[in-house]
Amino acid sequence: MDGIDTLKARYLAAVAGAADEAGLEEVRVAALGKKGEISALMAGLGKMDPEARKAAGASLNALKDEIDAALRARKVALADAALDERLKTEWLDVTLPGRPRPRGTVHPVSQVMEELTAIFPDMGFSVAEGPQVESDWYNFDALNIPPEHPARQEHDTFFMHRAPGDNRPPHVLRTHTSPVQIRAMMERGAPIRVIAPGRVYRMDMDQTHTPMFHQVEGLAIDRDISMANLKWCLEEFCRAFFEVDKVELRFRASHFPFTEPSAEVDIRYSNTGGQLKIGEGDKWMEILGSGMVHPKVLQAAGVDPTQWQGFAFGMGIDRIAMLKYGIPDLRAFFEADLRWLRHYGFSALDVPDLAGGLSA
């Protein structure tokens, strides 16, 4: 058996001569592994007498510690050397610009809703919200919609299921945001100016209709509000929304159960080469319905119609988004991917600004 000093010299030389971590591991196993030479010597200590075991044990422990320390130091040195070699062959140019990350885009419906809630508050309106599942009373009765009206038939409205034996009128998926106006009047009273944007539901599906779409309705109640105030409000909105200086609206007599008198509103436009321009040309396009709030609607909401009057209007958010951005098919909002929508040039939202307010 080689002496302690001979073992020390041999293994320290082997450690120093290891060219890589694999070679260093071979030296460790040969010296300190389970069947290594130094491990075997330590296993034989039990056969020695106490005095010899004490002296040999101290020497072997010191040898083991020294070899282990040499192995650790050599491993660090090999890792540093490997890193130095990598740094010589690998480099990073920190002056290069970063890789561009794909950006999402604001959905046209969301963008238009943001624009609406920026324009109307400049005219003194606040934003009101309400439930999308409504009672029959809020959605129809409070709005002076009689039982025989087509909107109350199953072919036009989504009715919620009632349990057998429950004879109450079924709840509905709201067909307009007008119930929000009723709730707002009952909660706040008069005077009041609110807009109610949100999702609505009707059983319809074609190029310009979907079963779920978005609507905004406006309500202004005060002592002496008139159709002239309604006309001013809608003209100011159209100027700000369509970003044109000149807007011409046409009010056509119509009938809605919740307003009297009622009017459908058309906007002047031109369409040349597939490019639609608002505020010019010789064509007219319907964009919304409006009118003076019916006295029965005011009564249902707890507002005295002998003291208060006002106007209301409603328009499809999806529809005015189509007009502004030239999108021909409403279904594109819900079925197309971002590449299709980017075709229409959506960019970061520019919040419109509108000076002035509603004159009562």
Side-chain angles (χ1 to χ4, degrees):
M1 179 184 299
D2 290 343
I4 297 296
D5 292 338
T6 303
L7 283 175
K8 176 180 176 179
R10 177 153 54 87
Y11 281 115
L12 288 179
V15 169
D20 52 34
E21 291 194 15
L24 189 64
E25 179 65 11
E26 291 180 2
V27 175
R28 186 196 69 79
V29 171
L32 303 178
K34 187 175 181 181
K35 296 182 180 180
E37 191 170 358
I38 296 175
S39 298
L41 290 175
M42 296 189 72
L45 291 175
K47 299 177 182 179
M48 297 181 181
D49 58 71
E51 289 297 326
R53 183 167 60 246
K54 182 178 180 180
S59 298
L60 288 173
N61 279 325
L63 175 62
K64 178 184 176 183
D65 292 343
E66 191 169 355
I67 297 300
D68 184 64
L71 287 166
R72 292 176 182 275
R74 182 58 178 167
K75 185 174 182 178
V76 171
L78 289 172
D80 290 343
L83 179 59
D84 289 341
E85 288 299 318
R86 284 186 59 192
L87 293 176
K88 291 177 182 178
T89 58
E90 298 179 12
W91 60 283
L92 176 66
D93 186 354
V94 295
T95 66
L96 286 173
R99 294 183 178 90
R101 299 181 64 181
R103 296 181 60 187
T105 182
V106 178
H107 192 279
V109 170
S110 300
Q111 180 159 321
V112 169
M113 290 185 75
E114 291 288 342
E115 293 174 0
L116 292 171
T117 55
I119 295 171
F120 281 110
D122 277 350
M123 292 187 280
F125 289 80
S126 60
V127 179
E129 297 180 334
Q132 296 180 42
V133 177
E134 271 292 8
S135 71
D136 188 77
W137 187 84
Y138 278 108
N139 199 76
F140 298 122
D141 294 328
L143 293 164
N144 196 36
I145 299 177
E148 67 275 8
H149 195 279
R152 302 188 75 155
Q153 307 306 310
E154 291 186 358
H155 62 76
D156 197 60
T157 299
F158 291 99
F159 289 89
M160 309 301 288
H161 176 70
R162 287 287 190 196
D166 188 343
N167 297 320
R168 293 176 300 166
H171 279 57
V172 300
L173 293 179
R174 66 183 183 190
T175 58
H176 41 197
T177 57
S178 300
V180 180
Q181 298 179 7
I182 300 296
R183 292 178 178 274
M185 284 191 286
M186 294 177 69
E187 179 182 341
R188 307 180 195 180
I192 187 174
R193 300 175 190 176
V194 295
I195 59 168
R199 295 186 183 94
V200 296
Y201 306 84
R202 295 179 190 173
M203 297 182 67
D204 210 350
M205 182 65 173
D206 57 35
Q207 187 174 0
T208 58
H209 299 84
T210 60
M212 187 278 288
F213 57 102
H214 302 80
Q215 195 176 62
V216 61
E217 299 196 16
L219 172 74
I221 303 295
D222 214 317
R223 299 271 183 197
D224 54 359
I225 284 181
S226 68
M227 287 288 287
N229 300 126
L230 169 63
K231 182 174 183 291
W232 175 87
C233 178
L234 295 178
E235 286 177 346
E236 290 298 288
F237 163 73
C238 290
R239 269 193 285 267
F241 179 73
F242 291 109
E243 302 177 50
V244 294
D245 295 327
K246 181 182 178 182
V247 166
E248 187 174 351
L249 299 181
R250 181 175 68 181
F251 287 71
R252 290 182 290 106
S254 185
H255 169 73
F256 304 114
F258 29 78
T259 53
E260 180 60 39
S262 303
E264 292 181 339
V265 180
D266 305 330
I267 192 167
R268 184 184 290 276
Y269 78 102
S270 66
N271 192 343
T272 305
Q275 184 176 8
L276 185 145
K277 292 185 178 180
I278 298 295
E280 60 182 58
D282 57 357
K283 298 179 183 294
W284 295 92
M285 181 184 303
E286 178 190 343
I287 58 170
L288 59 92
S290 65
M292 299 298 291
V293 180
H294 199 290
K296 290 185 177 180
V297 175
L298 294 176
Q299 279 184 323
V303 176
D304 186 353
T306 66
Q307 300 294 320
W308 304 94
Q309 63 189 44
F311 64 74
F313 60 85
M315 69 186 90
I317 295 175
D318 314 78
R319 179 169 178 77
I320 61 174
M322 292 172 66
L323 295 179
K324 182 170 183 176
Y325 297 112
I327 298 174
D329 192 329
L330 183 63
R331 291 167 293 191
F333 288 151
F334 308 104
E335 299 173 2
D337 62 21
L338 288 178
R339 293 170 297 177
W340 194 94
L341 292 175
R342 288 194 188 102
H343 171 74
Y344 291 94
F346 292 106
S347 58
L349 175 64
D350 293 323
V351 178
D353 186 28
L354 181 64
L358 180 63
S359 58

